[in-house]
Structure formats: C-alpha cells, structure tokens
Amino acid sequence: MSWCLCASLGNTGLQVGLHDGAWRAVERYSVAELRRDGSWLQTLQRLLSVSGLPPGECRRALICASSPDVAPPADAIAQLIGVSPSLLGRDFTVPMPADYAPPGTLGQDRILSGYAAQAMAGRPCIALDAGTCLTCEAVSPAGALLPIAIAPGLPALRAGLLATAPHLGVGLQAALSHWDV
C-alpha cells in the first residue's frame, strides 16, 4: 500500500508523521538538535524503520513550515524516499483568504490551523495552536481567516523566565515536568 509523509517544521520542533490510511508513526524532534548534528536523514531512516513502510512506496511528501525562511529537510527526504516533498506556500496553498497585513507574512502553519479547524468544526470557529508560540485564529462565517493573537508558548516562556530569573528554575522545572517543554 502506498503511503504519505507529512512534516510540520516549526520554529523549534519538527513533527513527522507517516500515513497509509492510518497514522503509522508520528514523532517530534528538536530543530536545534537536528541542525547541530546534521542527522535529518538518520532520523527519517529510523522513523521509517520503526513504521515498517517501504521507502519505494511513498507517493507524496508534504511539508508545512512556520516560516518561509526555515529550510525544510527536503533534500534528505527526497534522498531517502525518492519523492521530492511539496512545501505549503511554495508548491501549493491552502484555499483560505486571510485578513492579515502585510500580506504574505502570515505563517503557513497558522493558515493551515484555521483551515483544519474549519474542516473539523465548521464555521465560524476558533483555532488555537500551542507550540513555540501560542496562536489564535478565527474563521469567519464567510470562511476567511482572521488572525487574532500570537504569544510566547511554554518553551519560549520557560526560556525567557530562566534567562531573566534563573533562581525560579527549580520551581519552574517541577511545575512543567509533565509537559515536554
């Protein structure tokens, strides 16, 4: 059976999922670690090995990057599975108008979040995404994306607090220990 690789490349994390009608494998990686040790290809090889999906049967690879400046691991993916990945915003777009200025600067991840929320809940609706940043988007009754807010997420809040008040680190670590931040 053919399968698809889906990747969400955020500011600090990479989430990769392999789908063949059901999610076979989903993992999260630190972007800083992957860039530092250059292990994009090894990481994807391990994920494929765990999933049992043969690389030659991949039919599509899709990447959503939070920033157009982030270089997705496109070469590593193509080398491993034989399919060049399509990048959201460059190779295809989400069919959803967005009321945002300046135009073209809204992250593709935020547009996709609103689109997915609309697909799941109908419209109007609100989409929240908690990653490096906490983002909030509304989808109007007409289907337009209305970006509401962006704020630091738990990893950014943690880093900022530890940088400005390191003496709070012990209590902060205990409070956040059940989250992966």
Side-chain angles (χ1 to χ4, degrees):
M1 173 183 270
S2 65
W3 57 275
C4 181
L5 181 145
C6 300
S8 175
L9 184 56
N11 296 301
T12 59
L14 169 68
Q15 295 177 15
V16 179
L18 306 178
H19 191 273
D20 69 348
W23 290 105
R24 286 292 225 42
V26 178
E27 290 195 19
R28 179 175 164 73
Y29 308 99
S30 161
V31 169
E33 289 174 15
L34 290 174
R35 284 187 180 149
R36 183 174 49 249
D37 65 16
S39 63
W40 291 110
L41 188 57
Q42 294 165 345
T43 299
L44 293 171
Q45 285 172 327
R46 188 180 78 246
L47 185 60
L48 277 173
S49 176
V50 168
S51 74
L53 295 171
E57 294 183 21
C58 180
R59 65 180 161 81
R60 175 176 269 174
L62 306 169
I63 297 175
C64 175
S66 62
S67 168
D69 301 331
V70 176
D75 294 341
I77 291 172
Q79 180 182 353
L80 180 61
I81 63 175
V83 175
S84 293
S86 297
L87 181 63
L88 181 61
R90 182 191 70 197
D91 302 318
F92 65 101
T93 58
V94 172
M96 175 174 264
D99 183 12
Y100 196 75
T105 61
L106 182 63
Q108 294 296 311
D109 57 331
R110 295 180 72 186
I111 298 169
L112 186 58
S113 180
Y115 186 77
Q118 173 186 259
M120 293 174 63
R123 53 185 175 198
C125 65
I126 292 178
L128 296 173
D129 184 11
T132 303
C133 294
L134 175 61
T135 60
C136 178
E137 277 51 82
V139 178
S140 75
L145 184 71
L146 308 168
I148 303 297
I150 185 168
L154 285 176
L157 283 172
R158 176 181 172 259
L161 187 56
L162 289 175
T164 58
H167 61 283
L168 297 176
V170 173
L172 182 63
Q173 283 302 113
L176 297 178
S177 64
H178 62 283
W179 287 307
D180 184 24
V181 293

